[in-house]
Amino acid sequence: VDQALPQTIICDKLRLTQVLINLISNAVKFTFKGLITVKFSLERCLNINGLPEMKCEIKDTGVGIAKEDQATLINMFGQIKEQDPKNKKSHGVGIGLTVSN
């Protein structure tokens, strides 16, 4: 966590929670070995109100998403067909990343 981050932020708590749960859950679901990193930092650029913005990065060493499939995931109910038929972790209705966008 960036030490420059304020102790308190003003945000839509429900929306932020929903987005973080969706993104971290996907990282956990598709990372079988390795690690998941969640990093918060303060962006030095200012938003339209002249306030700094917080940035959250979620990185994992999971299976990844082919470039041609990435656009599909942002569409409502968009899911990627599972490459490995033995992997049964791909479930849900496919709205998580749409809600997070």
Side-chain angles (χ1 to χ4, degrees):
V1 176
D2 186 340
Q3 296 304 312
L5 284 173
Q7 295 224 346
T8 330
I9 60 170
I10 298 171
C11 68
D12 182 336
K13 181 181 174 182
L14 180 63
R15 177 96 167 127
L16 179 61
T17 302
Q18 184 179 41
V19 168
L20 290 175
I21 287 172
N22 284 332
L23 296 176
I24 294 170
S25 294
N26 277 347
V28 169
K29 188 188 315 185
F30 295 107
T31 302
F32 309 111
K33 271 201 280 199
L35 48 106
I36 298 166
T37 305
V38 179
K39 177 183 174 185
F40 291 91
S41 60
L42 194 63
E43 289 293 287
R44 303 298 174 222
C45 62
L46 302 179
N47 67 16
I48 59 172
N49 297 319
L51 300 171
E53 293 185 345
M54 185 176 72
K55 178 179 179 181
C56 175
E57 293 177 82
I58 301 168
K59 296 181 180 181
D60 62 68
T61 56
V63 295
I65 303 168
K67 208 58 154 164
E68 62 270 12
D69 291 330
Q70 291 176 7
T72 304
L73 289 179
I74 300 302
N75 297 330
M76 185 68 82
F77 307 112
Q79 290 185 320
I80 297 173
K81 293 202 190 302
E82 187 57 52
Q83 303 287 337
D84 181 0
K86 293 178 274 182
N87 176 13
K88 303 293 185 212
K89 292 223 176 207
S90 181
H91 63 278
V93 293
I95 62 170
L97 291 179
T98 303
V99 169
S100 300
N101 188 14

